[in-house]
Amino acid sequence: MNPTKKRPCQPGIRRTLRSILTTLLLCLLPVLLQAQSFDILLKGGHLIDPKNGIDQMMDVAIADGKVARVARSIPESDAEQVIDVSGLYVSPGLIDLHTHIFFGTDPYSDQMNSYRSVIPDNFSFRYGITTMVDAGSSGWRNFQLFKDQTIANSRTRIFAMLRITGHGSKGGVYSQNLNDMDPKMAALVARRHPEIVGFKIAHYNGHTWEPIDRLVEAGRLADKPVMIDFGSADPALSLETLFMEKLRPGDIYSHIYGGSPDPNSGREAIIDQNGNVRDFVAAAQERGIIYDVGHGGGSFDFSTAIPAIEQGIQPNTISSDLHMSSLRTLGMQDLNNVMSKMLNIGMSVQEIVQATTWKSAQVIQHEELGHLSEGAIADVWVFGIREGEFGFVDVDRPSVAVRGDRKFDSELTIFGGEVVWDMNGHSNDNWRGE
């Protein structure tokens, strides 16, 4: 017999080897699957997630467009791409609750299909905004055009509040036409389009509650909130009646810091001529009326905002009221600037993040947004708080500015798990390979 000749393995030995290999693979499989199981890892940031009560250093891992894991320390080896966000804040993507983005070419229109609205993608991701709500630029007659023309051709997530007037924000006599304020038609259109999250009224000049009643009826029929711009009646209607009798819990009063203490003005302010918050204002907020900033080009006054906040009336939501006119004023500029204003007159970073993320998501009844729970849509904003000497311009008195020492700086935005804005190349490799 040739001693060098190999004997074939016996069947029992082969079965034993296969069993050992199978056991080893089963033991190693979780490790193999975990290796680089995340697409993006945001490492070392301070996470503010109001829904989940998080306000501390936490890593956030993203996979397949969703938040995959949130933990104090996630190994870098688990992610294909690691973004160092040390020294920065991480929050859910911002929701701008009040914008006008029905951009078009009608030279005679107000904000419906006109130059006075703006292109949404130009003013979203660079400011950490992943969701915009158009506040009444379209009506039930022309929402389909807005959907086809703007929503379908924008990368930003867009919702809409329908103007109670069927022609939307066409301006002039169209805003005064009671016959065009049809709550049944508005509700019918809203039920057919999931992008519609509520109803809006603005710029009605008559001294009657009929438009408000029709607006609220549309909200009742569609089970959606309404938003009020209450600044045009002549003479002014009672703010107390609006808050305590007409609006429902969950309805939105925009421009909370606009108006004037002067009883003869068209828009009654929430403070009186002595600088005191009117008695019913706190009670209305407690019963569920949503106070929205809606800064705009002329709807935010430091002489109202500062004493109101000092007396405990903070906004539930913070929005820009973005349109071409508000962009041209020094006061608004962008949502981050409005947030910075609020930071320097009494609100905390955490309160401002809540008012632009989770609370806004609740108000528009889209609670899949505005938070970074595991499994949630990966809309993320990374930002810094810059310290220095800054000035924030008033609206009604553009020669006046409030001085501040902190400002929001947008650094990086992730939309649906993809980096869409990166101011300083946090997500990019070093050019020299260092």
Side-chain angles (χ1 to χ4, degrees):
M1 181 176 70
N2 186 351
T4 62
K5 186 177 180 180
K6 295 182 179 179
R7 295 181 181 179
C9 289
Q10 297 300 316
I13 296 174
R14 287 197 297 269
R15 283 195 297 269
T16 301
L17 289 172
R18 282 198 298 268
S19 178
I20 292 171
L21 288 171
T22 300
T23 302
L24 286 171
L25 285 171
L26 288 173
C27 292
L28 291 172
L29 188 59
V31 176
L32 295 171
L33 290 175
Q34 187 178 7
Q36 294 193 339
S37 58
F38 305 128
D39 300 325
I40 296 174
L41 174 61
L42 297 173
K43 187 75 178 170
H46 183 127
L47 176 61
I48 301 177
D49 184 357
K51 182 194 178 210
N52 293 302
I54 300 174
D55 182 15
Q56 61 179 308
M57 301 286 288
M58 296 286 270
D59 294 346
V60 178
I62 296 168
D64 299 323
K66 306 284 187 179
V67 177
R69 190 178 176 203
V70 177
R72 290 296 298 271
S73 182
I74 300 174
E76 294 186 13
S77 59
D78 291 355
E80 182 178 341
Q81 181 182 22
V82 178
I83 303 177
D84 183 3
V85 291
S86 301
L88 298 172
Y89 289 95
V90 177
S91 85
L94 302 182
I95 300 170
D96 195 343
L97 191 68
H98 188 154
T99 68
H100 292 284
I101 49 179
F102 191 174
F103 181 81
T105 57
D106 185 343
Y108 305 107
S109 182
D110 185 10
Q111 290 155 346
M112 186 281 298
N113 193 30
S114 80
Y115 297 118
R116 293 196 62 194
S117 284
V118 302
I119 300 172
D121 289 349
N122 291 355
F123 299 93
S124 56
F125 298 143
R126 67 181 56 227
Y127 302 112
I129 300 165
T130 51
T131 302
M132 286 178 154
V133 180
D134 183 278
S137 302
S138 64
W140 56 267
R141 294 182 187 275
N142 50 36
F143 174 75
Q144 188 65 55
L145 176 62
F146 176 54
K147 183 173 180 176
D148 294 342
Q149 181 171 290
T150 303
I151 297 177
N153 292 291
S154 300
R155 198 171 183 189
T156 310
R157 182 184 299 104
I158 295 173
F159 295 115
M161 293 195 176
L162 283 189
R163 194 77 148 228
I164 191 60
T165 46
H167 285 90
S169 181
K170 195 167 177 63
V173 296
Y174 291 94
S175 297
Q176 313 307 316
N177 186 0
L178 277 170
N179 294 326
D180 199 30
M181 300 179 187
D182 189 329
K184 291 183 179 179
M185 286 302 300
L188 177 64
V189 172
R191 286 196 294 266
R192 290 179 175 176
H193 297 279
E195 300 89 350
I196 297 172
V197 296
F199 305 94
K200 166 90 179 292
I201 192 169
H203 308 158
Y204 184 77
N205 297 332
H207 187 75
T208 173
W209 290 105
E210 184 65 22
I212 303 296
D213 292 338
R214 295 191 185 194
L215 177 76
V216 173
E217 176 64 6
R220 186 191 68 79
L221 290 171
D223 192 24
K224 296 182 185 298
V226 304
M227 177 182 281
I228 306 284
D229 178 339
F230 200 56
S232 301
D234 184 18
L237 293 167
S238 166
L239 203 56
E240 182 174 9
T241 300
L242 178 70
F243 286 174
M244 305 306 290
E245 299 178 23
K246 296 296 182 178
L247 297 185
R248 307 160 299 164
D251 288 339
I252 308 154
Y253 180 74
S254 199
H255 312 313
I256 186 62
Y257 300 125
S260 168
D262 183 353
N264 297 316
S265 70
R267 177 184 293 169
E268 184 180 15
I270 61 171
I271 63 170
D272 62 24
Q273 291 176 296
N274 297 316
N276 297 316
V277 172
R278 300 184 192 276
D279 293 339
F280 58 86
V281 173
Q285 192 172 37
E286 288 172 4
R287 77 177 275 261
I289 304 304
I290 302 299
Y291 292 160
D292 175 55
V293 169
H295 189 293
S299 300
F300 182 98
D301 193 321
F302 281 129
S303 65
T304 297
I306 292 174
I309 288 176
E310 288 175 345
Q311 294 170 60
I313 303 300
Q314 291 191 355
N316 300 98
T317 59
I318 298 172
S319 65
S320 65
D321 187 11
L322 173 72
H323 50 81
M324 283 305 300
S325 296
S326 64
L327 283 173
R328 290 177 179 137
T329 65
L330 296 175
M332 197 282 284
Q333 298 183 22
D334 55 64
L335 181 60
N336 291 170
N337 188 64
V338 176
M339 296 163 66
S340 297
K341 277 189 171 185
M342 305 310 297
L343 181 65
N344 285 277
I345 63 173
M347 292 184 71
S348 69
V349 173
Q350 292 76 11
E351 289 168 338
I352 292 167
V353 169
Q354 174 163 304
T356 48
T357 59
W358 176 233
K359 187 60 182 180
S360 292
Q362 291 177 296
V363 168
I364 61 172
Q365 301 173 354
H366 275 274
E367 296 187 9
E368 76 278 11
L369 303 174
H371 58 93
L372 296 177
S373 308
E374 292 185 3
I377 298 168
D379 287 358
V380 187
W381 183 39
V382 178
F383 65 96
I385 299 294
R386 181 154 48 109
E387 297 183 353
E389 296 181 2
F390 309 109
F392 301 97
V393 179
D394 206 355
V395 167
D396 289 339
R397 295 177 297 165
S399 62
V400 176
V402 165
R403 304 301 168 186
D405 58 8
R406 294 178 296 165
K407 189 167 186 162
F408 285 90
D409 265 352
S410 185
E411 289 286 341
L412 181 142
T413 304
I414 294 173
F415 178 68
E418 182 181 352
V419 175
V420 291
W421 173 258
D422 189 349
M423 181 65 186
N424 288 299
H426 297 281
S427 61
N428 297 91
D429 294 331
N430 192 299
W431 179 70
R432 295 185 182 276
E434 297 171 356

